[in-house]
Amino acid sequence: MTYCVGILVREGLVMIADTRTNAGLDNIATFRKLHLFEKPGDRVIAIATAGNLAVSQSVLNLLNEGIKNPETGEIETIYSIPSMFKVAQFIGRAIREVYRIHGKSMEQQAASFDVTMLLGGQVKGGRLRLFMIYSAGNFIEATSDTPYLQIGEHKYGKPILDRAVTSETSLQEALKLGLVSMDSTIRSNLGVGMPVDVVTIRRDAIEIDVSHRIDRNDEYFLDLRERWSAALRAAHQAIPAPPYGKD
Amino acid sequence: MTYCVGILVREGLVMIADTRTNAGLDNIATFRKLHLFEKPGDRVIAIATAGNLAVSQSVLNLLNEGIKNPETGEIETIYSIPSMFKVAQFIGRAIREVYRIHGKSMEQQAASFDVTMLLGGQVKGGRLRLFMIYSAGNFIEATSDTPYLQIGEHKYGKPILDRAVTSETSLQEALKLGLVSMDSTIRSNLGVGMPVDVVTIRRDAIEIDVSHRIDRNDEYFLDLRERWSAALRAAHQAIPAPPYGKD
C-alpha cells in the first residue's frame, strides 16, 4: 500500500509520500514514490505514485524517455511539454501506453492494472497546479474548494485535512498538517511506512523549495509526533464531561 | 455504510453507533443500529450492527424470538443464555440460521451476505466483555492490548483511538474519544450520519449507565466538535516550523 497527499495553498504546494511497497505482508520493500522533474526557471514538477509498482515505474520511464506525439511525429518528454494541463494529458497517454503493452497480460495473470498519480507543479507562463490522474489516464484538479488530493490509503489521514486545511492555510502549516496526516496513517496501517519524502514548491518560484527525506530518526518529525499526541491528549481531557443519562 | 465503535476500559464499556443506512447514494434512511437487552441485575447487553440491514434485522429478531437449542430441544433467547461467551456463540448461530434461509438466494441476486456486529455487556456471574462477530458467526474479543473494536467505516476514526485509548482510560474519556472518532468519520464520509446512539455500561453494575441519542442539535456534541476543531488548530499552529531545506 501507499499514502501520498498533495496540498495546494495560496503560497504554494506541498507533496508528501511514504516509501513502503508490499506484495503481501511478507514481502515489504522501500521504493521512492515521489519524483521530481526540475529545470529551475522553466518548470518544476513533482509526481507521487500509488498502485502497481511495475506500472508506475514504466510510466515514469516513458515520461523521461519520451513518447512520440502522433500529430507532430516529435518525441515529447516531461521536460518539453508546454503546460501543466498538457503534462497531465501526457501522463495519461503514458499510462495508456503501458496499459497497451502490459494491461491484457496482467489481467490474464489476475494482476490488476492499478495506478493513480498526483501531479503537482508549475511550468513557466502557467499557474501552479495539482492534479490526480487515474489508471484510465483521465484526471481531476484540486481547486480552492478542495485544495488537497490523496492517493492510496487515504482514509486515516483525511479527517485532519478535512478539519484544518483550506486554500488560505500557509505553506508551512500545510506541510505540518500533511505530516500529521501521514503520521496518523503510518500509525494505523502497516502498509504505509517510513521513510517519508517531502517536497514543497512556492508559487511562481519555478524551483524546488524543500526536498527532504524524513527517516526514522528525523528529530523534527519525532518531535511533531510527540507534540501532536500530547496536544490531542490535552484536547480531549479539556472537553467537559458528557452530560448524558438515560433518555 | 455505518460506523460503530466499542471501547472496553477498566471502568466499563462504551458503545457508539451512527444511524445512517443507504442503498446507493440516492436512497438514504435512518435506522437504529445500537440495540439494548437489559434485565437489571441479571444482564445488560448492547449489540451494534453493520452490513446488510435485512440480515441484521433478521438476526435481532431471532435473538428476541429465540432459537431451538439442538441439544436440549429448548427455545433459547438472548435473555436466557447464561454467559457472554455463550451469547456470542448464540448470535453466531442466529447469523448462520439467517444465512441458511436467505444466503443462497441473496447470492443469486448478487446481494452480499454481509453482517458484522459488536456485542458488549455483562451477564450476572461473568465479566463485562466486548466481542466482534463476523458474518460466518465466528468472533474475536477485545483485550487490554486492544481495548476497542470497530465495524463499518472504521478507518477515519481509528487514528484518534490508536493514539489515545488504553484499557486504563476512564469511562468518561473513552466516551469523549469515541465521540471524536465518530465526528471525524461523519465529517469525512457521507455514508455515516447523525443521529448517533450512545450507551455506557459500568463494570459490575449490570444495568445501563448512559443511553442517549445525540441528534443534530445536541449542545454537548456541537460543543465537543467545536472544541476539538479549535484544539487541533491550536495544536498544529503550536508545532515549530519545519526546518527542512533541499537535501
Side-chain angles (χ1 to χ4, degrees):
Chain A
M1 289 304 300
T2 290
Y3 177 50
C4 308
V5 58
I7 306 173
L8 183 68
V9 293
R10 201 150 43 97
E11 267 184 68
L13 172 73
V14 173
M15 285 176 70
I16 304 176
D18 86 312
T19 53
R20 182 159 295 170
T21 65
N22 66 296
L25 271 175
D26 54 353
N27 190 355
I28 285 178
T30 299
F31 281 89
R32 190 173 177 94
K33 300 171 194 171
L34 183 57
H35 304 272
L36 300 179
F37 306 85
E38 188 190 20
K39 247 201 261 178
D42 176 67
R43 69 191 55 219
V44 53
I45 295 170
I47 296 175
T49 64
N52 185 295
L53 185 63
V55 173
S56 60
Q57 286 191 344
S58 288
V59 171
L60 289 165
N61 275 292
L62 283 179
L63 302 184
N64 266 313
E65 295 209 345
I67 308 176
K68 192 185 263 187
N69 182 323
E71 285 164 28
T72 65
E74 276 174 34
I75 300 287
E76 295 176 321
T77 78
I78 194 165
Y79 290 103
S80 68
I81 307 279
S83 77
M84 284 301 292
F85 176 68
K86 287 199 166 69
V87 170
Q89 290 182 313
F90 177 64
I91 295 174
R93 286 221 307 284
I95 292 173
R96 286 191 288 264
E97 176 66 9
V98 175
Y99 184 79
R100 193 183 61 76
I101 300 167
H102 297 295
K104 286 277 150 42
S105 308
M106 287 175 67
E107 282 158 15
Q108 283 163 3
Q109 305 301 324
S112 74
F113 185 88
D114 162 28
V115 65
T116 46
M117 299 195 170
L118 295 179
L119 162 67
Q122 189 167 12
V123 173
K124 194 176 63 177
R127 283 182 293 118
L128 181 66
R129 299 173 79 170
L130 172 63
F131 297 89
M132 175 156 67
I133 304 169
Y134 301 104
S135 42
N138 58 337
F139 47 84
I140 62 171
E141 181 175 9
T143 65
S144 56
D145 284 333
T146 300
Y148 69 86
L149 296 171
Q150 305 168 290
I151 55 177
E153 274 289 346
H154 64 282
K155 293 187 180 183
Y156 304 101
K158 190 167 187 288
I160 179 62
L161 303 176
D162 278 341
R163 286 181 196 270
V165 172
T166 74
S167 58
E168 296 304 308
T169 302
S170 75
L171 190 59
Q172 209 161 73
E173 292 304 315
L175 174 51
K176 291 188 219 165
L177 289 164
L179 292 176
V180 169
S181 175
M182 177 60 77
D183 181 42
S184 298
T185 309
I186 287 174
R187 279 172 184 259
S188 291
N189 193 305
L190 269 186
V192 179
M194 305 279 284
V196 166
D197 291 312
V198 170
V199 164
T200 67
I201 298 169
R202 291 192 176 273
R203 192 175 290 271
D204 298 330
I206 315 206
E207 62 171 10
I208 299 291
D209 173 41
V210 165
S211 164
H212 180 70
R213 170 160 285 193
I214 297 172
D215 63 22
R216 277 174 206 288
N217 307 312
D218 188 283
E219 277 182 31
Y220 176 77
F221 191 64
L222 291 173
D223 180 59
L224 173 137
R225 277 192 143 164
E226 197 55 48
R227 283 174 188 262
W228 188 253
S229 288
L232 293 199
R233 264 194 308 280
H236 69 79
Q237 285 164 0
I239 292 173
Y244 305 141
K246 294 184 206 182
D247 280 351
Chain B
M1 289 302 303
T2 290
Y3 178 50
C4 309
V5 58
I7 307 173
L8 183 68
V9 294
R10 201 149 45 96
E11 268 184 69
L13 171 72
V14 173
M15 286 177 70
I16 304 176
D18 85 312
T19 53
R20 181 160 296 172
T21 65
N22 66 297
L25 271 174
D26 53 354
N27 190 354
I28 285 178
T30 299
F31 280 90
R32 189 172 177 94
K33 301 171 193 171
L34 184 56
H35 303 273
L36 300 179
F37 306 86
E38 188 190 19
K39 246 201 261 178
D42 176 67
R43 69 191 53 219
V44 54
I45 295 171
I47 296 176
T49 64
N52 185 295
L53 184 64
V55 173
S56 60
Q57 286 192 343
S58 287
V59 171
L60 289 165
N61 275 292
L62 283 178
L63 301 184
N64 266 314
E65 295 209 345
I67 309 176
K68 193 184 260 189
N69 183 322
E71 286 165 28
T72 65
E74 277 174 35
I75 299 288
E76 295 176 320
T77 77
I78 193 164
Y79 290 103
S80 68
I81 307 278
S83 77
M84 284 301 292
F85 176 68
K86 288 200 165 70
V87 171
Q89 289 182 314
F90 178 62
I91 295 174
R93 286 220 308 283
I95 292 174
R96 286 191 289 265
E97 176 64 9
V98 175
Y99 184 78
R100 192 182 62 75
I101 299 167
H102 297 294
K104 285 277 150 41
S105 308
M106 287 175 67
E107 282 158 17
Q108 283 164 0
Q109 304 302 324
S112 75
F113 185 87
D114 162 27
V115 65
T116 47
M117 297 195 172
L118 296 179
L119 161 68
Q122 187 167 14
V123 173
K124 193 176 64 178
R127 283 182 293 117
L128 181 66
R129 299 173 79 168
L130 172 63
F131 297 89
M132 174 156 67
I133 304 170
Y134 301 105
S135 43
N138 57 338
F139 48 85
I140 61 170
E141 182 175 9
T143 65
S144 57
D145 284 333
T146 299
Y148 70 86
L149 296 172
Q150 304 167 291
I151 55 176
E153 273 290 344
H154 64 282
K155 293 186 180 182
Y156 304 101
K158 190 167 187 289
I160 180 61
L161 303 175
D162 279 341
R163 287 181 196 268
V165 172
T166 75
S167 57
E168 297 303 308
T169 302
S170 75
L171 190 59
Q172 208 160 75
E173 291 305 313
L175 174 52
K176 290 188 220 166
L177 289 163
L179 292 177
V180 169
S181 174
M182 178 60 76
D183 181 42
S184 298
T185 309
I186 288 174
R187 278 171 184 260
S188 291
N189 193 305
L190 270 186
V192 179
M194 307 278 284
V196 165
D197 291 313
V198 171
V199 164
T200 68
I201 297 169
R202 291 192 176 273
R203 192 176 289 272
D204 297 331
I206 315 205
E207 62 172 10
I208 299 292
D209 175 39
V210 164
S211 166
H212 180 69
R213 170 159 286 192
I214 297 171
D215 63 24
R216 277 175 206 288
N217 307 314
D218 188 285
E219 276 181 34
Y220 176 76
F221 191 64
L222 291 173
D223 180 59
L224 172 137
R225 278 191 143 164
E226 197 55 49
R227 283 173 189 263
W228 188 254
S229 288
L232 293 199
R233 263 194 308 279
H236 71 79
Q237 284 164 1
I239 292 173
Y244 305 139
K246 293 183 204 182
D247 279 353

